[in-house]
Amino acid sequence: MILRSRRIDRLEDHPNLRGILAILTQLVHASDTELSQLASVWRNTPQLAAARDKALSPDAPLVVEVLAAFDALSAIYADDLAGIDDYVTVDPGITATALKAVRDAIAAAYAKPILTRSEYSALMRSWRVVYPRGRGHEPDLGPFGSEVKRVLAALPVLARRCHDADSLRVYDGLLVTALTRDEIEHRDAMEAAFNSAVRTGRRRVWTLVRRSAAEGFWRLCPSCRKMINLEDADADQRVMELCADLACALLVQDILDPDTAANLTAPLHTLVPLQNRHGGERRQTGRGLPPGRSPD
């Protein structure tokens, strides 16, 4: 009763934090076999629908975060749902059903304090069949994962460029790089990098990293966000894409040829001055990396 009456304002204060993270960290690791298993065991029932409505009600804990996680989940599995790429081997209809089971599990994990035992069990049933034990490990960012995390952690600092001279200098250096690079060469290098992510089973992590990079970069203060004009927005978009490309290149650097890796990771040297300035930031890949989410 105490848990049900307590208002939960932050994920870190959620009494089921461990259960939430165990689900969120598994999302980018789901294999094709596991997706098929989730789809095969999920069945919508009146009991399940009622439990879902309660879990997603306006009074449910952190329901806005739940909906954001749903949105990010759709982005991570966008290729699987479209089913037009050769590397997608699961029927899009099966994936769509599997994601319904995943959404129910996410909703249950967040809403556990207000659900009855039977409601919680109904929403979690399909997930528990496939994942009887929570794994709770972070997404596999590859052998250069620490560098990926450093880039993601530096981007919220870069977002303060409107109030910080050092961040502005770094931003200007990145903008010069973005404006002067060979676009065709860069596009080909990024295509090679993504193909590497597909071969190593990191393509969903790739999407997650790009979303995390974008959210960190755009974490501007409200007053500065209102002052962005069209010209600034174009420059900002170029720099954001450069930083996201850098993080993704580091994700697969271990299997890129040296020239391609050097080309794509060159901006890392420009970001170095900010990499020691995020001590107070919570890790961009913390909180189990809710798909595409970064700490507020």
Side-chain angles (χ1 to χ4, degrees):
M1 292 299 295
I2 293 175
L3 286 178
R4 293 187 184 191
S5 63
R6 180 193 304 166
R7 178 179 174 84
I8 303 170
D9 295 315
R10 300 189 310 151
L11 180 60
E12 290 78 359
D13 298 331
H14 199 292
N16 192 35
L17 175 62
R18 186 173 180 179
I20 293 170
L21 297 186
I23 295 173
L24 295 178
T25 55
Q26 182 59 39
L27 299 183
V28 293
H29 294 297
S31 67
D32 290 348
T33 298
E34 290 167 341
L35 287 175
S36 297
Q37 290 174 336
L38 283 168
S40 68
V41 297
W42 185 85
R43 294 290 184 277
N44 201 19
T45 64
Q47 179 193 16
L48 186 61
R52 185 185 305 117
D53 288 344
K54 184 175 179 180
L56 298 176
S57 66
D59 295 330
L62 303 177
V63 68
V64 174
E65 286 208 15
V66 176
L67 298 178
F70 288 178
D71 178 66
L73 181 66
S74 296
I76 289 174
Y77 285 86
D79 290 350
D80 301 270
L81 293 169
I84 59 176
D85 295 293
D86 293 339
Y87 53 76
V88 174
T89 60
V90 177
D91 182 88
I94 292 176
T95 299
T97 302
L99 295 187
K100 293 178 181 178
V102 175
R103 292 187 185 97
D104 281 350
I106 294 173
Y110 274 93
K112 186 175 183 181
I114 68 168
L115 298 176
T116 66
R117 183 173 299 179
S118 62
E119 290 168 339
Y120 177 76
S121 296
L123 289 168
M124 290 292 297
R125 188 186 72 82
S126 298
W127 181 268
R128 288 294 182 222
V129 169
V130 180
Y131 303 108
R133 297 180 181 178
R135 301 178 185 178
H137 49 71
E138 287 190 353
D140 178 15
L141 300 178
F144 293 90
S146 60
E147 292 299 306
V148 176
K149 292 179 181 180
R150 291 175 68 192
V151 169
L152 296 179
L155 295 181
V157 184
L158 192 64
R160 300 177 192 150
R161 57 192 175 275
C162 46
H163 302 295
D164 181 79
D166 291 338
S167 296
L168 182 58
R169 280 193 291 271
V170 171
Y171 172 89
D172 288 340
L174 292 170
L175 180 58
V176 170
T177 300
L179 292 173
T180 58
R181 70 187 180 189
D182 185 315
E183 290 296 333
I184 296 177
E185 181 181 356
H186 181 79
R187 183 191 62 205
D188 292 344
M190 284 303 297
E191 183 177 349
F194 180 74
N195 290 337
S196 298
V198 171
R199 291 198 306 273
T200 56
R202 301 176 199 164
R203 65 180 174 88
R204 294 180 185 129
V205 184
W206 175 287
T207 302
L208 181 60
V209 167
R210 292 198 74 82
R211 287 178 63 91
S212 296
E215 292 186 12
F217 180 87
W218 292 114
R219 199 182 303 170
L220 302 171
C221 71
S223 60
C224 294
R225 188 181 298 276
K226 294 178 182 177
M227 295 172 59
I228 296 178
N229 56 42
L230 291 178
E231 183 177 348
D232 292 336
D234 179 68
D236 288 347
Q237 184 67 26
R238 286 175 177 269
V239 175
M240 186 280 291
E241 292 288 347
L242 183 71
C243 293
D245 290 351
L246 167 61
C248 288
L250 290 168
L251 176 68
V252 293
Q253 185 177 351
D254 56 309
I255 59 173
L256 290 178
D257 70 78
D259 290 340
T260 300
N263 179 303
L264 294 177
T265 61
L268 181 64
H269 302 292
T270 306
L271 274 174
V272 165
L274 292 183
Q275 290 182 348
N276 295 323
R277 302 262 323 270
H278 59 81
E281 298 284 343
R282 286 180 295 174
R283 290 187 335 184
Q284 187 82 351
T285 52
R287 296 182 14 174
L289 266 175
R293 295 296 307 278
S294 57
D296 296 326

